[in-house]
Amino acid sequence: MTLKEYKPGTTFPGVIGRTVAESEPAWPQPTRAKEGSPNVIFFILDDVGYGQMSAFGGLVNTPNIDRLVENGLRYTNMHTTALCSPTRSCVLTGRNHHSNGVASIMETATGFPGYDSRMPFQNGMLSEMLLEHGYNTFCTGKWHLAPAEESTPAGPFHRWPLGRGFERYYGFLGGETNQWFPDLTYDNHSVPQPKSVEEGYHLDEDLVDNAIKFILDAHVIAPDKPFFLYHAPGCAHAPHQVASEWIEKYKGKFDMGWDEYREVVFARQKELGIFPADAELSPRDPDVPEWNTLSDEQKKLYAHFMEVFAGFLEHCDHQFGRILDTLKMIGELDNTLIMVMPDNGASSEGGVNGAFNEMSSFNYYWETLEDILPRMDEIGGPASYNHYPWGWSWAGNTPFRRWKKEVYRGGCTDNLIVSWPKGIKARDENRHQYAHAIDMVPTVLDVLGIEPPESIRGVAQSPLEGVSFADSFDDDSEPTQHHTQYFEMFACRAIDHDGWRAVCGWPGPSYAEGAEKDRNFGDEITAEILDDLDANSWELYHIADDPAEVHNLADKNPDKLREMIARWYVEAGKYQVLPLDGTLMQRFATERPQVAKPRNSYTFYPDLSVVHPQVAPLVFNRPHSITAEVEIPIGGAEGILLAQGGVSGGYVFYIKDDKLIYIHNYLGLEEFKVTSSVNVPVGQSTLRYEFEPTGLPDIRNGRGAPGRGQLYINGELVGNTQFPTSTPILFGIEGLSCGYDFGEAVTHDYHAPFTFSGTIKHVTVDMSGDLIVDDESTMRRLVAQQ
């Protein structure tokens, strides 16, 4: 007997009699995808430049992405927003980043519609759309699309992956994480990493393990049911971390330096047909030193930074290859539409020298050669939080100008690889049609024959702002459908229109040129400055003939320039781009609505989930105390009372060898320690650390407030030390944990997690400034005993 089915919400088509024998059943129809519908995979890389992957002429081997090109297409004129969260919002919704309220990363939200980081539910995600058409929906890796204030166990969870149409999630919610010690979330809860670094753990492998598990779990039950996988590894965002055998593969490969790298890669790009033979390479960037002017030590260190990056990226490609192999094994590879794209150009956050600890620069400290060189062999390993020098960022975006965070083409023109053997006849071909991240959703819906939904879960939907480029899959002569696209990132602006491009850099075309006018990245744009920029700083390029923005035609074609500037303002009005905001640190410091009311006292309990650093107590540059109520068993106890941060900076309050200890890790450069002069007694005790500033911070020079670090046991002063400085702004991405040290250890004095072996009732962090009065005589005694 064939089951009778009906669409839910329509009239029941069966028969209802007095008895079952007199009746005929019918069933609400399950949601099923159209027969033969392809699987869909978005593979979103992080901070990978246009000229880095071998698939686009780069010198980093990406054999699995290469095989996708061999069975698909290379889109050479693809664009992003120049930053991660904004691009990812475009990729998943088909709307522009300001329309999504994601002008920048989620941590820099401000109180304007285009900037508030609260993605509106009328801008539905592809996951939500496909779920309603019978697809499984999986997300693995980086999310970074929920406000930081909501990325905690207190929720709300409606902007987490499971709240936006994904049925299963495994990854990290923030913008970056440590590859060796990640902050992992499974569905809606925090989980520990499944094995240790010593056992061979690496995040990229773990993410792929779970992606494969999600696919196979569903496939064995419903082999005909298609899936959508959004796979977003941390690679190649800093920290660039990978096992040494992957780094060794590139030993000596970048000794030629970034200048020659650009020449080699540009030649390879021409050979691949990405650019015509007469295309020109963009000129030297004023912020990047010539390679031949560097010392031998600089060349050695900087080349090694790039070796680590290359090993990291190839390792990620290798892991993605495992997904491709799994699809081949189950017979699904040919009918899977795969799109591979980075979220922006190569990143410059390593500064001119590179960084052993990337977090240093966010605290206004730029590491020197002398800081990094002695630890060169540790770069890429668990003790580092590294990023390469921006000379490699510039070279990585060959042939374009500039880098991530700016909307010259180096920041926002990206690789796109499309593979779908069953649906695309063309193989190993280039497509030069203009496209943008907002076009990916319309293209998938076009291919699947699905109309954009009018509503999702009762919420009326806004129109898609992108257009499909599916017509170009098998026709390289198909005209471009995307004619106009605006760009804005940290007040750096541009607009593309039918082969023309106008761009206005901020603080200037380069940092050096901006500094000549006393303008720096992160500065506020006043009305007077904006008037000057609009009158004097826009550049004009005919990208159709000059793809690398070499020849500025602003003076030769002022009418066209005025037209393009006016067009930018029209688009800005349409998509919520105003008001322009060039600031950075001010945005980080913006007061935002919180789930909890503001307070100066926080109480934590042992062994709970790690607390996101965005909502952890802000102890920087102010008086504060940490008080732990504990019980020490006979024989003593040891372990963590409270910890935040890791190798890149943080603090930890703990007991070891019966002594009470506090360590402040200053940017991974120095450790400031205070130890009790007496043992922690058996039984119930109140253990307390206090910090009292003794001077003002010098934040612009990377120095937080100096101060006295003091320890008390049951109200008695038992330790006192003067800290010459402290961390001024942030400890890094690792959160706060009570009773254990989450992730990597804050200090080498113990091995994480160093779980407390006694009993912790609770630990309170107080920032009210209510300090215990110093006992001068006790202090003098302690100083004498140190």
Side-chain angles (χ1 to χ4, degrees), residues 176-437:
E176 64 183 85
T177 196
N178 193 307
Q179 300 293 308
W180 303 115
F181 305 100
D183 184 356
L184 292 170
T185 295
Y186 199 134
D187 292 341
N188 279 352
H189 63 283
S190 177
V191 293
Q193 61 193 69
K195 60 184 179 181
S196 68
V197 174
E198 291 77 12
E199 294 169 321
Y201 183 84
H202 191 280
L203 176 59
D204 269 348
E205 297 175 25
D206 190 14
L207 295 176
V208 168
D209 287 346
N210 280 274
I212 291 172
K213 183 178 187 298
F214 291 170
I215 292 168
L216 293 183
D217 278 352
H219 181 78
V220 297
I221 303 302
D224 295 329
K225 185 175 184 179
F227 67 84
F228 168 47
L229 169 65
Y230 177 77
H231 183 64
C235 183
H237 196 291
H240 306 151
Q241 296 169 319
V242 73
S244 57
E245 58 264 29
W246 292 91
I247 299 170
E248 286 295 317
K249 296 176 72 168
Y250 288 91
K251 189 172 181 62
K253 299 290 186 182
F254 302 105
D255 288 353
M256 87 286 275
W258 43 64
D259 294 298
E260 185 176 336
Y261 179 100
R262 296 182 81 228
E263 298 288 346
V264 170
V265 168
F266 194 39
R268 287 163 58 101
Q269 290 171 336
K270 289 182 176 182
E271 290 172 6
L272 291 170
I274 295 172
F275 299 106
D278 61 352
E280 297 179 66
L281 186 63
S282 62
R284 158 163 299 285
D285 192 290
D287 291 328
V288 178
E290 293 185 39
W291 186 262
N292 62 14
T293 66
L294 303 177
S295 69
D296 290 343
E297 284 187 329
Q298 286 175 307
K299 290 178 180 178
K300 179 182 177 182
L301 175 61
Y302 297 170
H304 184 60
F305 268 118
M306 185 60 193
E307 292 166 5
V308 174
F309 173 88
F312 184 30
L313 182 53
E314 183 175 345
H315 173 262
C316 181
D317 173 88
H318 177 78
Q319 301 310 317
F320 186 68
R322 293 170 51 218
I323 296 178
L324 302 182
D325 292 342
T326 299
L327 294 176
K328 185 175 182 181
M329 177 188 73
I330 63 176
E332 292 292 330
L333 183 58
D334 283 354
N335 197 31
T336 300
L337 171 60
I338 301 174
M339 294 186 179
V340 181
M341 188 184 74
D343 57 358
N344 45 245
S347 167
S348 66
E349 280 135 0
V352 69
N353 292 315
F356 187 86
N357 170 19
E358 180 206 18
M359 290 296 149
S360 296
S361 64
F362 299 136
N363 284 284
Y364 286 106
Y365 182 92
W366 282 266
E367 295 174 65
T368 65
L369 182 69
E370 291 72 27
D371 289 327
I372 306 169
L373 197 59
R375 307 185 70 183
M376 187 176 84
D377 291 342
E378 298 178 69
I379 294 173
S384 68
Y385 207 90
N386 51 295
H387 197 304
Y388 56 24
W390 64 29
W392 289 118
S393 317
W394 174 61
N397 293 323
T398 300
F400 302 126
R401 298 171 60 184
R402 302 303 284 172
W403 39 55
K404 174 185 175 181
K405 298 199 301 287
E406 299 178 35
V407 298
Y408 289 96
R409 298 199 80 198
C412 63
T413 306
D414 286 279
N415 318 128
L416 174 67
I417 294 97
V418 178
S419 175
W420 182 26
K422 186 175 180 180
I424 300 175
K425 297 176 183 178
R427 297 288 185 273
D428 196 12
E429 293 184 9
N430 295 331
R431 294 290 182 265
H432 302 293
Q433 287 85 350
Y434 189 97
H436 187 273

Side-chain angles (χ1 to χ4, degrees), residues 391-553:
W392 289 118
S393 317
W394 174 61
N397 293 323
T398 300
F400 302 126
R401 298 171 60 184
R402 302 303 284 172
W403 39 55
K404 174 185 175 181
K405 298 199 301 287
E406 299 178 35
V407 298
Y408 289 96
R409 298 199 80 198
C412 63
T413 306
D414 286 279
N415 318 128
L416 174 67
I417 294 97
V418 178
S419 175
W420 182 26
K422 186 175 180 180
I424 300 175
K425 297 176 183 178
R427 297 288 185 273
D428 196 12
E429 293 184 9
N430 295 331
R431 294 290 182 265
H432 302 293
Q433 287 85 350
Y434 189 97
H436 187 273
I438 60 174
D439 299 333
M440 293 171 68
V441 166
T443 300
V444 170
L445 296 181
D446 187 6
V447 163
L448 301 182
I450 295 174
E451 291 293 322
E454 294 183 3
S455 68
I456 293 176
R457 293 195 291 272
V459 178
Q461 294 296 287
S462 66
L464 296 182
E465 293 167 359
V467 293
S468 172
F469 53 83
D471 287 350
S472 66
F473 281 178
D474 282 315
D475 187 355
D476 63 352
S477 65
E478 185 70 24
T480 291
Q481 300 299 316
H482 194 134
H483 298 284
T484 304
Q485 181 61 46
Y486 82 92
F487 298 85
E488 187 278 333
M489 190 56 60
F490 295 111
C492 189
R493 297 172 286 164
I495 186 162
D496 292 344
H497 179 71
D498 287 344
W500 286 91
R501 172 165 243 261
V503 59
C504 182
W506 174 256
S510 66
Y511 299 147
E513 290 164 283
E516 292 175 0
K517 296 184 176 182
D518 197 27
R519 297 171 180 174
N520 300 289
F521 179 74
D523 286 352
E524 180 182 356
I525 288 186
T526 64
E528 293 76 18
I529 289 175
L530 182 57
D531 288 343
D532 179 63
L533 290 171
D534 282 344
N536 302 304
S537 295
W538 281 89
E539 304 162 42
L540 179 67
Y541 300 95
H542 193 215
I543 296 300
D545 301 323
D546 179 21
E549 299 170 309
V550 177
H551 300 288
N552 181 5
L553 305 177

Side-chain angles (χ1 to χ4, degrees), residues 80-138:
T80 60
T81 68
L83 204 64
C84 51
S85 296
T87 293
R88 292 159 196 268
S89 79
C90 297
V91 163
L92 284 171
T93 68
R95 284 88 165 183
N96 283 298
H97 58 307
H98 292 87
S99 298
N100 289 322
V102 190
S104 176
I105 56 173
M106 313 308 281
E107 293 82 356
T108 59
T110 62
F112 299 100
Y115 294 74
D116 62 19
S117 292
R118 274 65 179 166
M119 293 184 65
F121 296 104
Q122 61 263 31
N123 292 2
M125 291 189 176
L126 183 62
S127 46
E128 296 169 300
M129 301 175 197
L130 295 186
L131 191 65
E132 295 186 357
H133 287 271
Y135 273 70
N136 280 130
T137 54
F138 311 132

